[in-house]
Amino acid sequence: ADMGRCGKQRGADQDKRIEALLKTWKKANRDLGAIDYKGSTADGFWWCDTRGVNVWQARKALALVGTPCPNIASLQARYSAIVGHAVELDDESLTTFIEGYIQAEFTQAIGRVRANRRPGEEIVIYVVSDFDLSPLQERLGFVLEIVKASDVTPEAGSKTERAWNRIQL
């Protein structure tokens, strides 16, 4: 919950924290696949491997890194075309459209593991993003647990948390 959007424009420290999370999760779930914007941590990529593919259907665990939101101006233009008139960035209906778009992308990505075809099987989806997934929880029927990165592994903590951990040792 404390990693931010984790988009394409992230810094080296955020990449380091993400790598620490993925390393920890891979120890717990050897079958973990990862979808990200960047190739260094990914087995697949947003928009390429999150719609219309079945490569994840047998996985027991999937990590979704980042908030799947394309360029805001392109979403603004798309929404303006849908409603038939120009829409400003501060328009509440545009914000609702963008949130719905992101929810749809998460829904597609979560659906790649084909949990509906594997009833009774436990499947874990890790999401590294500060985007609120609670609206999807009831609709998709999953249990949502929000944790700080440092609660997963101290190496994924913020700079301040990592410094404090070194001081305490």
Side-chain angles (χ1 to χ4, degrees):
D2 59 339
M3 293 289 293
R5 292 179 58 91
C6 296
K8 289 184 261 185
Q9 306 295 326
R10 59 185 184 237
D13 186 61
Q14 201 171 29
D15 279 337
K16 181 180 176 180
R17 294 174 69 196
I18 290 167
E19 287 176 27
L21 288 170
L22 292 174
K23 182 180 175 184
T24 300
W25 290 330
K26 282 186 180 184
K27 284 181 185 175
N29 300 286
R30 292 183 163 227
D31 194 33
L32 178 75
I35 293 174
D36 194 355
Y37 290 103
K38 295 185 169 190
S40 63
T41 59
D43 300 310
F45 301 96
W46 283 107
W47 297 291
C48 297
D49 300 303
T50 56
R51 286 184 170 266
V53 297
N54 291 321
V55 296
W56 313 105
Q57 69 183 347
R59 297 282 180 137
K60 300 250 185 219
L62 184 61
L64 305 175
V65 180
T67 303
C69 183
N71 180 285
I72 296 295
S74 71
L75 288 177
Q76 179 185 17
R78 183 183 299 185
Y79 185 66
S80 293
I82 290 169
V83 298
H85 58 84
V87 178
E88 297 299 320
L89 283 174
D90 61 352
D91 190 311
E92 192 175 314
S93 66
L94 176 62
T95 303
T96 302
F97 174 77
I98 293 170
E99 288 176 1
Y101 181 92
I102 295 169
Q103 288 177 6
E105 290 301 325
F106 272 121
T107 299
Q108 283 292 316
I110 291 167
R112 296 301 95 204
V113 294
R114 304 292 193 221
N116 59 321
R117 296 180 183 171
R118 302 189 280 165
E121 217 175 303
E122 183 173 309
I123 300 167
V124 179
I125 306 289
Y126 301 104
V127 178
V128 184
S129 172
D130 62 357
F131 187 77
D132 181 15
L133 293 174
S134 59
L136 298 178
Q137 184 177 5
E138 187 177 326
R139 187 170 0 135
L140 299 180
F142 59 79
V143 176
L144 180 63
E145 181 182 350
I146 299 171
V147 297
K148 289 177 57 175
S150 60
D151 291 340
V152 175
T153 178
E155 292 84 30
S158 67
K159 287 180 182 180
T160 304
E161 289 171 318
R162 292 191 315 260
W164 184 247
N165 286 339
R166 285 191 301 274
I167 291 168
Q168 288 180 321
L169 293 177

